[in-house]
Amino acid sequence: MSSDDDESIGAPAAGPVVGRVVAPKPYDMLADQLREAILSGDIAEGHALPPERELVEQTGLTRGSVREALKQLAAEGLVQTRPGRFGGNLVTLPGKGMVTNSLNLFVRGRRMPLITLNETRDVLEPPLARLAAQHRTDADLATIERLHDELVAASDTFPRFSTINVQWHNAIAQASGNELLSAVLEAISFGVAVSTTVAEYDTAATRKQVIAVHAQITAAIRDRDGEFAERRMRDHIRATHARATAAESTDVPLSEE
């Protein structure tokens, strides 16, 4: 072994071997523990978390850290603080509205193009119509029929017509019984409403076509004919998108039949 080899033994490595170690914040660790206990069902919805004083004693954290952990959970929709003698930090579970709001912010914040919204509708709405026909309740059907009647009554007022149109589509999604898929559809409703309130859609013939195809889909859902509801919804969505890509044309129908 050469003298050079001897000198290399035990010599420090060139440059740092490990990076800077950043310890997790105590309130993040507490929030993680409580979140897991809630989502796993160890702490059931509607039950109260231990009071802040007890959490301080159990964890050894400061009251400020405990409050910061609870604030995180509240922002996530997992805890609701109720004041008063019988209040406290009650466990809740995120509702459909929270999912819809988050997705809506994503869609609007990223300024999703119309083609992306249309592709999403292509994937979602026909199966949702089939599911609605299969799973709708009497209350669901009453809502869909009421909105269709309101659509007919609003045929002379385009902005109102457009608003009810979106509500009708969302009502079908709700009737499907699939909360996740219906939340996604509702989240893109803003973009759909904006994209279909342009001049190309503002014709009496267009509104007449929309009413006709909506009547067919509503009837299919009433009759629990999932196959027909899905097919007509697919035709309807594709025809709507055809109009969106024909910027200079007012003759593209919203139903292919």
Side-chain angles (χ1 to χ4, degrees):
M1 182 179 295
S2 68
S3 59
D4 290 341
D5 292 334
D6 291 339
E7 291 176 358
S8 66
I9 297 176
V17 177
V18 296
R20 182 180 179 84
V21 176
V22 179
K25 294 181 174 60
Y27 55 78
D28 284 332
M29 297 177 67
L30 176 57
D32 288 343
Q33 291 184 34
L34 291 173
R35 184 184 302 108
E36 181 58 31
I38 293 170
L39 295 177
S40 66
D42 290 341
I43 307 177
E45 183 177 15
H47 287 198
L49 293 178
E52 287 184 10
R53 184 185 309 162
E54 289 186 25
L55 288 173
V56 168
E57 294 174 355
Q58 291 174 13
T59 63
L61 300 179
T62 64
R63 201 178 197 103
S65 290
V66 168
R67 287 179 175 174
E68 188 62 34
L70 295 174
K71 187 185 299 183
Q72 285 188 25
L73 298 178
E76 296 169 6
L78 296 174
V79 168
Q80 183 180 42
T81 302
R82 294 183 180 177
R85 180 179 178 184
F86 299 104
N89 295 299
L90 302 182
V91 170
T92 59
L93 293 178
K96 177 182 172 183
M98 177 167 286
V99 177
T100 300
N101 290 339
S102 295
L103 286 172
N104 181 262
L105 291 175
F106 175 73
V107 169
R108 296 181 66 179
R110 304 291 291 186
R111 288 174 171 75
M112 294 292 178
L114 179 58
I115 188 172
T116 299
L117 301 182
N118 287 344
E119 289 170 347
T120 305
R121 295 185 71 194
D122 279 337
V123 172
L124 291 182
E125 292 216 53
L128 282 170
R130 174 185 286 270
L131 290 172
Q134 294 171 344
H135 303 308
R136 58 87 176 160
T137 64
D138 290 343
D140 291 329
L141 179 61
T143 298
I144 294 169
E145 291 179 330
R146 173 181 57 79
L147 287 170
H148 178 68
D149 291 341
E150 291 181 10
L151 192 73
V152 174
S155 60
D156 293 332
T157 310
F158 182 60
R160 175 66 176 157
F161 183 90
S162 179
T163 297
I164 298 172
N165 177 47
V166 173
Q167 292 174 351
W168 180 88
H169 281 271
N170 285 340
I172 290 178
Q174 179 67 33
S176 74
N178 190 309
E179 287 191 296
L180 181 56
L181 293 180
S182 63
V184 175
L185 185 67
E186 287 186 28
I188 68 172
S189 291
F190 174 83
V192 172
V194 169
S195 67
T196 56
T197 51
V198 293
E200 287 81 6
Y201 290 87
D202 191 6
T203 70
T206 293
R207 293 193 287 278
K208 182 178 179 180
Q209 291 159 2
V210 170
I211 289 170
V213 72
H214 279 210
Q216 293 177 351
I217 297 170
T218 297
I221 292 173
R222 182 189 308 116
D223 297 339
R224 299 192 183 277
D225 188 344
E227 181 178 354
F228 186 74
E230 180 175 8
R231 184 169 71 252
R232 294 303 289 123
M233 183 67 83
R234 180 171 289 109
D235 293 341
H236 179 39
I237 297 301
R238 286 176 179 173
T240 302
H241 299 173
R243 174 177 286 273
T245 59
E248 297 181 357
S249 172
T250 59
D251 299 325
V252 181
L254 294 190
S255 169
E256 291 181 340
E257 293 182 3

